[in-house]
Amino acid sequence: MTAENLDTDELIALLHLGTDELFYIEAAVRLVERHRYWLEQPTFRRFIELFDNPYPRSAGIWWKDAVAALDRGELECDQEAANVLRIAASIATFYQVSFRDVMESLSPETMKHAAEALMCAGGYTESVATPKF
């Protein structure tokens, strides 16, 4: 079984199981889950590994490989989706981003998700960002 064959909701559940309760990994997974774009893209799913096959019990994302492919232009997407992946990878790994650059193209809803991911990475797993317009 591969990640490409899984229903998105099943994949999300396996990714959460694969966080090993590490806040920064949970935060990155939560961000791509809430944005949804990447988890529904077959080109991205090749960067997801299932563990304990043939009956997957968890999954993980190869963040560095995914953003390297993005940076090489191998993953098609709009600027917001690209920046969501960059933010998630910067939370999960040492991938460096300029928050000024990546935050400018986010919709208000995605900005909320990114803020909550940052709080989650710091251990504030139940914190909610409440934007005021």
Side-chain angles (χ1 to χ4, degrees):
M1 180 179 296
T2 65
E4 291 88 356
N5 302 19
L6 291 174
D7 171 76
T8 301
D9 290 330
E10 184 178 4
L11 179 59
I12 289 167
L14 292 173
L15 285 168
H16 279 286
L17 289 171
T19 65
D20 291 330
E21 298 180 1
L22 297 172
F23 294 139
Y24 63 97
I25 302 297
E26 180 181 341
V29 166
R30 191 182 292 189
L31 179 56
V32 295
E33 168 194 356
R34 290 179 176 173
H35 190 261
R36 295 288 286 201
Y37 177 84
W38 290 111
L39 296 180
E40 295 174 356
Q41 299 304 308
T43 56
F44 178 76
R45 286 187 178 210
R46 70 178 190 228
F47 300 106
I48 298 174
E49 183 174 349
L50 303 180
F51 301 104
D52 294 328
N53 286 327
Y55 304 103
R57 296 187 182 161
S58 67
I61 297 171
W62 292 99
W63 296 103
K64 290 180 184 181
D65 294 340
V67 288
L70 177 69
D71 290 342
R72 289 190 304 267
E74 297 172 8
L75 297 175
E76 292 185 30
C77 62
D78 64 17
Q79 192 62 48
E80 179 175 271
N83 287 341
V84 164
L85 183 54
R86 288 183 176 110
I87 294 166
S90 74
I91 293 171
T93 70
F94 291 102
Y95 181 80
Q96 294 185 7
V97 297
S98 163
F99 276 120
R100 177 173 160 65
D101 290 339
V102 296
M103 299 305 253
E104 287 183 346
S105 68
L106 301 183
S107 68
E109 180 179 0
T110 301
M111 179 73 76
K112 173 183 167 40
H113 297 323
E116 289 173 353
L118 290 174
M119 289 186 284
C120 179
Y124 301 96
T125 59
E126 301 301 319
S127 292
V128 177
T130 308
K132 294 182 180 183
F133 302 98

